[in-house]
Amino acid sequence: MDNTTIKGETVESKSITMKLNTYSKLNEKIKASKVADGPSVNISQPENIENKNSYKVTVLTYLPDAVLSKVENNEGLELDKEFVYLNYVGINPVQFMGKDGKYTTLQGREFRFDYNCEVEKDKIKEYFLCYLQFSYTINDNQYADVIWVRDENEDPETDRGTVTGPSDLPPPTTL
């Protein structure tokens, strides 16, 4: 997929419904030395005041400029044929370090930007920047304190992520 935008797919996964608002991979390549350690994630306030269970998430992340293989976990939103998916993992505990240096455990809703690249991370010279915006609606009463999106290569080299919460909550480091 080169500079193509995909929109509109909807998938039910576990206890949520995910809708792809937009996904695009930019043609311009970025040197590996300039790539951030993990995705940049922003969650918006509820999209619809009448439905407080719906949220919009914007993600900036990177795909390696290398041949990708089929993704095994393909239960989520298909972003690039059979090679890139946004998958929902569920609610899992995540630990944050507060300003006092102590850890607090919160419940986090985990999403994964999954792809499968067999090239070792240190051999990848360039990446593509990807823009992803999706919405999710909670279908049960199980709420999370934060969400996080992990950029995960199914081949073991990459496992990165950013944790974020709704903008009306204090940032995790202020616990």
Side-chain angles (χ1 to χ4, degrees):
M1 183 179 85
D2 293 322
N3 207 20
T4 304
T5 301
I6 298 174
K7 296 179 181 181
E9 180 182 359
T10 301
V11 171
E12 284 199 37
S13 180
K14 299 177 178 59
S15 63
I16 67 168
T17 301
M18 296 188 304
K19 179 183 180 210
L20 180 61
N21 297 339
T22 187
Y23 172 73
S24 56
K25 181 176 92 173
L26 305 180
N27 281 334
E28 186 175 330
K29 296 176 187 174
I30 300 168
K31 294 184 185 221
S33 62
K34 305 280 185 194
V35 171
D37 287 336
S40 175
V41 179
N42 179 48
I43 182 170
S44 302
Q45 291 292 330
E47 290 183 320
N48 181 343
I49 293 177
E50 295 170 8
N51 182 356
K52 296 190 186 264
N53 295 337
S54 242
Y55 301 90
K56 186 182 295 182
V57 180
T58 303
V59 180
L60 291 175
T61 192
Y62 302 91
L63 273 178
D65 180 23
V67 175
L68 300 178
S69 301
K70 287 184 181 180
V71 172
E72 289 181 28
N73 182 2
N74 58 7
E75 296 173 3
L77 294 171
E78 184 179 54
L79 303 176
D80 190 357
K81 298 182 183 145
E82 301 170 327
F83 303 108
V84 182
Y85 281 82
L86 177 71
N87 289 306
Y88 175 59
V89 178
I91 294 181
N92 296 306
V94 62
Q95 286 191 332
F96 292 93
M97 182 184 292
K99 290 182 179 180
D100 60 1
K102 295 180 183 175
Y103 285 96
T104 300
T105 301
L106 298 173
Q107 294 301 310
R109 193 174 299 280
E110 182 178 356
F111 297 90
R112 290 195 182 158
F113 182 79
D114 285 332
Y115 59 91
N116 187 356
C117 179
E118 296 175 13
V119 178
E120 293 178 30
K121 184 178 176 183
D122 61 345
K123 295 191 177 175
I124 297 172
K125 304 294 182 207
E126 295 181 314
Y127 287 79
F128 295 101
L129 179 64
C130 298
Y131 173 84
L132 165 64
Q133 187 179 80
F134 68 97
S135 302
Y136 69 90
T137 302
I138 301 168
N139 298 333
D140 62 13
N141 292 327
Q142 190 176 16
Y143 293 94
D145 299 308
V146 297
I147 70 154
W148 77 90
V149 178
R150 193 178 293 249
D151 173 352
E152 186 163 288
N153 181 355
E154 287 190 339
D155 205 47
E157 282 297 311
T158 302
D159 189 0
R160 309 178 300 212
T162 300
V163 178
T164 185
S167 60
D168 62 343
L169 294 177
T173 55
T174 60
L175 298 173

